[in-house]
Amino acid sequence: MSVGALPVPLADSYPVPPLHEGAGHTGTGVALGCAALGLTTGFVDFIGDDHPGTLVRERLAGSGVDFRPLISPHGTRRAVSLVAPDGRRMSFYDARDPAELRMPPEHYLPPLRRARHVHVSIMNFARFLYDDIEALGLPVSTDLHDWDGLTDHHREFALRSDLVFLSTAGAGERIASVMREILHEGRAQAVIATAGAGGAYLLSADDRTPRLVPAVVPPGPVVDSSGAGDAFTSGFLYGRLAGRDLEECARLGAVAGAHACTSRGTHTDLIGREELHAALGPAPQATVTAAPGAPAGQLLRPTPP
């Protein structure tokens, strides 16, 4: 919902423009973004037999995403986002999944075996997929969002992923040390920290300090930053699967993230491959070997709707 300012002034009631309901969580965002860029994309998750679950199904229908949901008796996870006139936003997340929720292997293993890259969101049930992902020898990425480098929930995701995305919002001035910790203590090949209009920071094994990847000027006025991080991840993964180097992948992510800020709502206007190429030029020729029988660019992500 649109609000006049953040933080919202204290009041008994606060008039706002008409509310918008839609599928806007990180899992759908990365899946939709990758599919819009031409990647063959699979998506497994829990949703509820409820109105929000119907919104998720409707948003993914016809998108090119192979969506394979399981029905959770606890309902569909949801969030309320407040968006200021300058595009900044604050989300209130309803993490209703119980700690004991698990996804049965017979549901996720078939698409895993067809994948050549897996993107895992930080849902608790998703951490139990890592052993199977590693056994299949698949590269994996994750998004820690605003991790402060301290909260235990995120740590396993951070240390068991090959590409780690997060924002600078949680760690603040400690972000460089958090990035180094992820790189040195885990299996990550690269850590990417997004900083909104400040660009992004890239740290790989070849770097002594994080490299700044400048922000891209959006192609229109900034109206809503919701989903910009998911778009960044999609652009980066697209570049990675095309064989581009890490810095160019981050530039692709920056282009996709900037594009996402120019439309209201979350994941409502997704950048396509032609627009991405127009911003950075044609991709270099590269050979990428897929798993036997895997469609080119197959992605699987156990993530929230």
Side-chain angles (χ1 to χ4, degrees):
M1 70 179 73
S2 298
V3 296
L6 288 176
V8 177
L10 182 63
D12 285 341
S13 63
Y14 195 85
V16 296
L19 305 183
H20 168 73
E21 289 184 292
H25 286 301
T26 185
T28 48
V30 177
L32 288 165
C34 287
L37 290 170
L39 295 173
T40 303
T41 306
F43 177 26
V44 296
D45 194 15
F46 287 99
I47 60 172
D49 185 14
D50 49 25
H51 175 62
T54 298
L55 294 177
V56 175
R57 291 180 184 273
E58 290 176 348
R59 179 64 183 91
L60 289 165
S63 67
V65 175
D66 180 13
F67 182 37
R68 302 186 181 198
L70 285 173
I71 298 300
S72 169
H74 308 283
T76 305
R77 295 180 303 277
R78 60 201 73 177
V80 174
S81 292
L82 309 182
V83 183
D86 62 0
R88 293 179 302 121
R89 56 96 177 174
M90 176 181 291
S91 291
F92 299 84
Y93 180 55
D94 169 6
R96 61 180 56 216
D97 290 342
E100 63 272 16
L101 184 68
R102 300 288 185 273
M103 181 169 284
E106 59 268 23
H107 186 76
Y108 65 78
L109 278 175
L112 261 186
R113 292 188 178 111
R114 295 194 302 273
R116 64 184 176 102
H117 184 92
V118 185
H119 183 74
V120 181
S121 283
I122 54 173
M123 300 299 96
N124 187 61
F125 72 82
R127 71 175 70 249
F128 299 98
L129 278 64
Y130 270 103
D131 287 345
D132 286 319
I133 294 169
E134 290 180 8
L136 290 168
L138 296 169
V140 57
S141 56
T142 192
D143 187 346
L144 307 177
H145 300 282
D146 59 347
W147 189 41
D148 58 6
L150 304 172
T151 308
D152 284 339
H153 174 85
H154 302 66
R155 189 168 301 279
E156 182 174 7
F157 295 92
L159 301 185
R160 298 189 72 178
S161 299
D162 300 286
L163 292 173
V164 177
F165 300 89
L166 74 165
S167 79
T168 61
E173 294 181 355
R174 296 185 297 106
I175 189 62
S177 63
V178 171
M179 294 172 74
R180 291 190 192 97
E181 179 185 351
I182 294 170
L183 194 68
H184 296 153
E185 295 190 12
R187 57 179 284 173
Q189 301 169 0
V191 183
I192 306 95
T194 56
Y201 296 90
L202 169 66
L203 185 68
S204 70
D206 298 328
D207 301 315
R208 299 187 62 182
T209 59
R211 287 178 268 166
L212 174 65
V213 179
V216 170
V217 177
V222 173
V223 296
D224 191 344
S225 61
S226 301
D230 300 332
F232 184 102
T233 298
S234 301
F236 191 104
L237 293 179
Y238 168 80
R240 191 67 169 166
L241 288 167
R244 297 188 180 225
D245 63 42
L246 290 169
E247 189 158 343
E248 193 166 14
C249 291
R251 291 175 58 221
L252 287 166
V255 171
H259 179 94
C261 293
T262 61
S263 59
R264 296 194 182 278
T266 309
H267 318 134
T268 54
D269 183 15
L270 304 166
I271 194 168
R273 184 159 44 188
E274 290 186 4
E275 293 169 285
L276 206 60
H277 286 178
L280 290 181
Q285 295 296 316
T287 300
V288 181
T289 303
Q298 175 75 37
L299 288 157
L300 167 79
R301 50 188 58 76
T303 44

